[in-house]
Amino acid sequence: MAGLFEGKVVTVTGAGGAIGRAGALAFAAEGAMIALSDLNSQSVEETAHLVESQGGQVIAIAGDISLDADVQRFLDATVAKFGGIDCAFNNAGITHPDDHKWEESVFRRTLEINLISQMLCMKYQIPQMLKRGKGAICNTSSTQGLIGTMDPPLPAYTASKHAVIGLMKSTALEYANRNIRVNAICPGVTRSAMVDQVMAMSEAIRRRLENYAPMGRLCEPEEIAQGAVWLCSDKASFVTGHALVVDGGFVAQ
Ligand SMILES: NC(=O)c1ccc[n+]([C@@H]2O[C@H](COP(=O)([O-])OP(=O)(O)OC[C@H]3O[C@@H](n4cnc5c(N)ncnc54)[C@H](O)[C@@H]3O)[C@@H](O)[C@H]2O)c1
């Protein structure tokens, strides 16, 4: 396959989910060798089969992305299989149920999975990119990383996604003069298991989310994937420290 990522190694977390799977397939379509991770071993294997059926080279490792040992195991396996890491789509994440949103354990777990995981991934990815002399990272935030408007309110999720952007900017500046670009993508409401979970809270919430974007529809995971592909590609060669919004106009209101 010829494409923007020919010969490059790209890691994708949350690769069993909607956006991660679409990301894996989009990077593979551009010629990347793909390393996939997810807590859900069955869904990450399914994504790997889809990449293979598209003719891509792939490795899939199940694990908990909030645990240092699991992240290290995933990225060590990637380097052992493909010889290094060029780009990363650090995308795994969770939201939390409305009725438990002020529980300390829920708040801590949300921060561990949505934020600490990205620190752990970058801790092991960046040394590999420095060895290559170049790298690009896209971390998944959210429109909730920029604004607090959400009905029902999601305090832990919103705090975690704001922090993702702070971590991204700090890391982008630290590595700007070493040829490693770090950006974030901020999806609006995107068709996924996560959104199904929030919509299941009530019929009113479902209707509100379906009409959340001024463009009048849900975002498709493939539309987020294309943003991640662009941010990690050489077409975005002077873009770093940027939070790219893909939300059908919601944040513009
Ligand atoms: N869907 C949306 O509307 C939306 C909007 C804004 C941001 N996002 C973000 O996009 C990212 C992807 O979400 P999605 O929409 O594809 O949802 P999804 O639920 O389909 O996928 C999330 C994936 O993350 C995995 N995961 C959860 N905890 C994990 C852990 N501890 N270790 C490893 N993997 C774990 C899940 O197994 C799942 O496959 C998330 O960071 C989410 O916060 C989604």
Side-chain angles (χ1 to χ4, degrees):
M1 274 190 287
L4 287 172
F5 289 85
E6 192 63 38
K8 290 193 175 176
V9 179
V10 179
T11 64
V12 181
T13 72
I19 293 173
R21 178 170 292 174
L25 292 171
F27 280 108
E30 293 291 344
M33 293 167 268
I34 313 283
L36 306 174
S37 165
D38 202 287
L39 191 60
N40 184 326
S41 56
Q42 190 184 332
S43 62
V44 76
E45 285 296 340
E46 282 168 12
T47 304
H49 288 312
L50 290 170
V51 170
E52 275 168 349
S53 67
Q54 207 174 266
Q57 292 183 62
V58 65
I59 180 176
I61 307 285
D64 184 338
I65 208 68
S66 70
L67 300 179
D68 188 300
D70 283 18
V71 174
Q72 191 173 17
R73 185 168 54 86
F74 166 50
L75 296 172
D76 282 353
T78 303
V79 173
K81 168 99 175 160
F82 293 128
I85 298 171
D86 297 288
C87 301
F89 184 24
N90 296 324
N91 164 77
I94 57 165
T95 187
H96 47 81
D98 190 39
D99 47 351
H100 296 293
K101 66 190 174 197
W102 287 110
E103 278 177 25
E104 183 186 349
S105 61
V106 169
F107 219 99
R108 286 189 189 279
R109 191 67 186 134
T110 304
L111 289 172
E112 281 172 9
I113 296 174
N114 291 1
L115 174 67
I116 306 293
S117 69
Q118 296 192 354
M119 178 278 287
L120 293 173
C121 284
M122 293 196 293
K123 176 174 117 177
Y124 293 110
Q125 289 159 347
I126 288 173
Q128 293 297 328
M129 293 175 183
L130 289 171
K131 280 188 197 167
R132 304 273 232 219
K134 186 175 179 178
I137 296 171
C138 174
N139 290 338
T140 302
S141 177
S142 168
T143 51
Q144 293 302 294
L146 297 167
I147 56 173
T149 316
M150 180 52 83
D151 187 7
L154 297 170
Y157 184 79
T158 302
S160 73
K161 293 300 187 177
H162 273 68
V164 162
I165 292 181
L167 173 64
M168 173 277 287
K169 286 182 178 172
S170 173
T171 314
L173 293 175
E174 183 172 350
Y175 290 97
N177 64 2
R178 280 179 274 179
N179 214 19
I180 295 176
R181 297 182 301 101
V182 187
N183 293 290
I185 192 145
C186 299
V189 179
T190 305
R191 203 179 297 282
S192 61
M194 180 179 292
V195 164
D196 289 344
Q197 184 191 339
V198 179
M199 283 182 171
M201 291 174 185
S202 78
E203 184 55 24
I205 289 170
R206 187 184 66 75
R207 273 201 304 275
R208 272 203 298 281
L209 288 181
E210 281 175 350
N211 294 301
Y212 158 103
M215 287 184 76
R217 62 172 174 84
L218 295 180
C219 181
E220 297 300 331
E222 292 74 17
E223 294 174 304
I224 305 301
Q226 287 307 317
V229 164
W230 181 76
L231 284 171
C232 289
S233 79
D234 288 344
K235 289 186 184 289
S237 53
F238 206 52
V239 180
T240 198
H242 180 61
L244 179 67
V245 179
V246 182
D247 71 342
F250 180 73
V251 169
Q253 293 172 111

